Amino acid sequence: MRALPEGRVLTDPDVVDSYARDRTFVEPGKPLGVVLAASRDDVVATLRWASEHRVPVVPRGAGTGLAGASTAGDGSVVLSLHRMTAIKELSPADEIAVVEPGVITADLDRAAREHGLMYAPDPSSYEISTIGGNLATNAGGLRCVKYGVTRDSALGLEVVLADGRILQTGRRTMKGVTGYDLTGLFVGSEGTLGVITSATVRLRRAPAVPPATFAAEFGSLRDAGAAVAAIMAAGCQPSLMELLDRATLEAIDDWRNIGLEPGTNAMLIGQSDAADGQVVAERMERLCVDNGASFVAVSSSPQETEELIGVRRMAYDAKERLGACLVEDVCVPRSVLPDMITAIEAAAARHDVKICTVAHAGDGNLHPVFIFERGLPEPPANVWAAADDVFTHALELGGTLTGEHGVGVLKRRWLALESGPVAQEVQQGIKAVFDPLGILNPGKAI
């Protein structure tokens, strides 16, 4: 790639291998090399070269994905965007920011807070994941119950297409219906339609007072799910509603000694950032008690709040200590959350699989994590069987295979169950329009 400046291309096999993986157990292929893009021009040059030589390109952010979407294939080029870290504009007047794809999610939020604003999407990996990766998977996070997923904050994009052409989508305004919604199309496309090199994102006013937070303990996971359903039905509008099962709490307790009680089989952590947040938190507290909570407490200080949220953010790291993880993220209507929780527990027992479940419970998004022996090339048959049961039941309840992690390679085996032949044909047609040579992240998402 002579058009790229010196030092942009890596070919050392050990270094290249480190860029070929994401956070899953998926074993990557052997890519030709890695491009460390530092600008849009680097991306343009890479894609023009790849189109000319018909070489597959795998876009990559921080490598924190949980579905295998950024794992490299044989003979591909990994296009790393993690050096494109500029916050090009932050406008308090318009409540927007224009950012490059390598910006860390939490860094954008911190920059916005200096102006009394916030960037609402906050996946659990927000301190290490990038805006580009969040856009590629339409990531959610802890605050999505009130503020929506990444697509709800994406106003416009700059995208380099497979042949190197530059496409501008969307706008800087809060409204706009000119033409098709190409911004929404690219968000969640997992690098299969183009490479995002800049994004105009919506910022929101940060809460005027610290949010009020409660933690509730339950003797059963189903009771906790019922409490969530009651809270949402009562119109409490929490800004965060997270559920952790006993297996997850045990993993965290073994690691960080959080003082887990023997009878606690589920914990619910909720938050309100409304002006009357303390009143709302107390109302949610009462609804937890009405639905069987054995203990509930409302935090009395920002420090206590941070400690409670910290427990939730430790969940995945704690589970990784137990073994290899197949991480899933089914989403169901909130009203059937207790039924989905029961189905996950039944699948674990039926197939003798350890499943640790956390959930963005306020929007019905559950993360059952299937633990298996580290070092195996893929999950054993009983793990896949349990996952089959979980996905099938989620679809039967009117849910979806993935709420925020994306399809990648891990969920492609179930795609036909949800999308059907007509949707699959339409999606393949869209792919052919944007990527006629099929070089952009082949074998992923659809």
Side-chain angles (χ1 to χ4, degrees):
M1 299 183 195
R2 295 175 183 171
L4 291 171
E6 186 177 352
R8 293 285 196 274
V9 180
L10 305 176
T11 57
D12 178 270
D14 291 335
V15 177
V16 169
D17 183 69
S18 70
Y19 281 89
R21 304 169 182 275
D22 66 1
R23 208 169 176 181
T24 66
F25 56 83
V26 175
E27 189 64 26
K30 300 294 183 184
L32 300 175
V34 177
V35 173
L36 302 177
S39 68
R40 181 187 70 185
D41 289 347
D42 292 345
V43 176
V44 169
T46 301
L47 291 178
R48 284 178 177 168
W49 178 89
S51 290
E52 179 183 351
H53 297 279
R54 302 209 170 190
V55 173
V57 176
V58 179
R60 185 182 192 275
T64 61
L66 296 170
S70 61
T71 51
D74 289 335
S76 65
V77 168
V78 177
L79 178 55
S80 174
L81 305 162
H82 78 278
R83 289 189 173 186
M84 297 179 65
T85 59
I87 298 176
K88 299 194 287 188
E89 180 186 353
L90 200 158
S91 171
D94 292 327
E95 297 185 0
I96 63 170
V98 181
V99 299
E100 290 185 329
V103 172
I104 298 296
T105 312
D107 288 345
L108 175 57
D109 186 49
R110 281 188 281 265
R113 299 272 177 175
E114 294 178 6
H115 301 276
L117 302 169
M118 70 176 185
Y119 179 63
D122 68 331
S124 295
S125 59
Y126 77 134
E127 287 286 4
I128 54 175
S129 63
T130 61
I131 296 295
N134 294 171
L135 290 162
T137 59
N138 193 24
L142 277 63
R143 289 195 292 253
C144 58
V145 61
K146 182 173 182 179
Y147 296 104
V149 292
T150 298
R151 183 177 284 120
D152 298 302
S153 292
L155 298 175
L157 302 172
E158 176 186 85
V159 182
V160 181
L161 300 179
D163 59 7
R165 287 180 297 161
I166 299 167
L167 172 67
Q168 302 286 345
T169 78
R171 65 224 180 261
R172 293 169 60 92
T173 56
M174 292 298 124
K175 306 172 137 155
V177 293
T178 305
Y180 295 129
D181 181 11
L182 295 179
T183 302
L185 178 62
F186 278 98
V187 177
S189 63
E190 300 183 44
T192 62
L193 301 179
V195 179
I196 297 168
T197 51
S198 181
T200 301
V201 297
R202 178 182 183 181
L203 304 177
R204 299 173 189 266
R205 284 285 151 195
V209 296
T213 306
F214 77 86
E217 297 176 2
F218 294 85
S220 79
L221 200 56
R222 187 177 179 87
D223 285 348
V228 172
I231 288 169
M232 302 309 296
C236 294
Q237 294 188 313
S239 53
L240 180 150
M241 184 63 60
E242 298 293 303
L243 180 62
L244 299 85
D245 73 350
R246 175 77 190 186
T248 301
L249 292 168
E250 286 178 345
I252 297 171
D253 192 53
D254 288 344
W255 181 29
R256 293 295 178 91
N257 190 23
I258 59 173
L260 180 63
E261 294 293 335
T264 300
N265 291 309
M267 177 181 288
L268 186 62
I269 301 173
Q271 193 172 79
S272 173
D273 64 3
D276 60 345
Q278 194 70 24
V279 173
V280 175
E282 290 170 359
R283 185 182 181 196
M284 293 190 285
E285 176 187 23
R286 289 193 297 274
L287 288 167
C288 287
V289 172
D290 292 344
N291 283 275
S294 57
F295 173 81
V296 191
V298 177
S299 69
S300 59
S301 70
Q303 181 181 350
E304 285 185 0
T305 291
E306 285 302 312
E307 289 173 355
L308 287 172
I309 304 304
V311 169
R312 169 60 182 88
R313 293 198 187 277
M314 282 187 249
Y316 185 67
D317 289 338
K319 283 177 277 196
E320 277 193 318
R321 298 175 71 251
L322 301 179
C325 298
L326 171 63
V327 185
E328 300 304 349
D329 71 320
V330 296
C331 192
V332 297
R334 292 182 304 215
S335 59
V336 295
L337 182 67
D339 296 327
M340 191 65 231
I341 288 170
T342 300
I344 293 171
E345 292 181 315
R350 184 162 50 249
H351 299 286
D352 191 25
V353 176
K354 187 174 185 63
I355 303 178
C356 301
T357 302
V358 298
H360 306 307
D363 51 18
N365 189 188
L366 299 103
H367 296 308
V369 177
F370 302 76
I371 311 295
F372 60 98
E373 183 181 346
R374 205 183 305 278
L376 296 178
E378 68 167 64
N382 65 324
V383 170
W384 285 124
D388 285 341
D389 287 358
V390 168
F391 281 118
T392 300
H393 198 78
L395 294 174
E396 289 173 351
L397 292 174
T400 179
L401 300 172
T402 174
E404 57 185 11
H405 291 170
V407 172
V409 295
L410 289 179
K411 298 188 185 74
R412 291 185 74 215
R413 62 191 282 152
W414 296 289
L415 272 180
L417 297 176
E418 179 171 346
S419 46
V422 175
Q424 288 180 315
E425 182 180 349
V426 169
Q427 291 184 66
Q428 292 289 351
I430 293 170
K431 168 76 169 170
V433 168
F434 286 96
D435 181 23
L437 300 178
I439 64 169
L440 288 176
N441 216 7
K444 313 289 178 56
I446 62 171

